[in-house]
């Protein structure tokens, strides 16, 4: 089976924001996901959020961290928790183990489909920005539950140590 490079699509209609993840969604898309989280938190008239994972072949932990940030960004701003649509048993199991059911409504099929989703342009991040986003995403996952805390603590510790080392070392001369 060929894994397709990840893509993000979105639509906002009648107060409902839909984010569709397609293909292999990895940390390379974290700047784009981060941008959507920031926009979503400030969206006027937001009533509901739906994240569609039905066309996703893989979602890495960094992308999952940003999906968790979506729930936290809209907490208290919409009446119901965001919805994640996932019909693949492995994806459903991963969401369950990671504690997403506490922050999202998990369903196998959406109540309604948006007519058209726009492809989101991929936002590039420099190395430091990418590393900071990876660290933020995993910190978010760690705050979801104890399982995630024990699972991601070694990675977060390593990333924090690397960050401190970068801050201590002088910038190279040009």
């Amino acid at each position: 089976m060929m894994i397709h490079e990840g893509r993000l699509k979105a639509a906002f209609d009648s107060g409902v924001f839909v984010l569709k993840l397609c293909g292999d969604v990895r940390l390379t898309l974290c700047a784009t996901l981060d941008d959507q989280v920031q926009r979503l938190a400030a969206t006027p008239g937001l009533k509901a959020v739906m994240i569609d994972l039905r066309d996703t072949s893989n979602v890495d932990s960094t992308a999952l961290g940003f999906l968790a940030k979506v729930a936290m960004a809209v907490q208290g701003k919409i009446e119901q928790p965001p919805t994640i649509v996932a019909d693949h048993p492995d994806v459903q199991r991963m969401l369950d183990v990671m504690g997403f059911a506490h922050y999202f409504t998990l369903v196998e099929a959406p109540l309604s489909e948006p007519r058209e989703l726009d492809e989101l342009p991929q936002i590039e991040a420099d190395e430091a920005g990418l590393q900071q986003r990876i660290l933020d995403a995993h910190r978010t996952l760690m705050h979801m539950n104890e399982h995630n805390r024990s699972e991601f603590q070694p990675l977060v510790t390593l990333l924090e140590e690397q960050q401190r080392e970068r801050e201590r070392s002088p910038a190279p001369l040009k």
Side-chain angles (χ1 to χ4, degrees), residues 5-12 17-22 25 28-40 43 50-52 66-67 70 116-124:
E5 184 177 329
R7 293 184 343 271
L8 303 174
K9 297 180 178 184
F12 184 72
F17 176 77
V18 177
L19 179 63
K20 184 174 184 83
L21 284 67
C22 305
V25 180
T28 54
L29 293 172
C30 73
T32 306
L33 281 169
D34 191 24
D35 181 65
Q36 287 304 301
V37 170
Q38 303 305 322
R39 289 176 189 241
L40 194 54
T43 300
M50 182 177 79
I51 298 170
D52 188 344
F66 279 99
L67 295 183
V70 166
E116 190 172 323
L117 294 165
D118 296 322
E119 184 123 6
L120 297 176
Q122 186 170 339
I123 297 172
E124 299 295 325

Side-chain angles (χ1 to χ4, degrees), residues 52-126:
D52 188 344
L53 301 179
R54 291 175 296 166
D55 293 340
T56 305
S57 55
N58 180 57
V59 183
D60 75 3
S61 58
T62 302
L64 286 172
F66 279 99
L67 295 183
K69 286 181 88 168
V70 166
M72 293 168 192
V74 299
Q75 198 168 28
K77 296 180 183 187
I78 58 177
E79 288 184 29
Q80 300 295 320
T83 299
I84 291 182
V85 181
D87 57 1
H88 192 281
D90 291 341
V91 173
Q92 292 170 331
R93 192 169 25 264
M94 175 186 58
L95 294 171
D96 185 48
V97 167
M98 301 284 282
F100 274 66
H102 185 72
Y103 298 91
F104 292 88
T105 300
L106 304 177
V107 297
E108 291 184 31
L111 296 175
S112 64
E113 297 271 354
R115 285 187 291 279
E116 190 172 323
L117 294 165
D118 296 322
E119 184 123 6
L120 297 176
Q122 186 170 339
I123 297 172
E124 299 295 325
D126 63 6

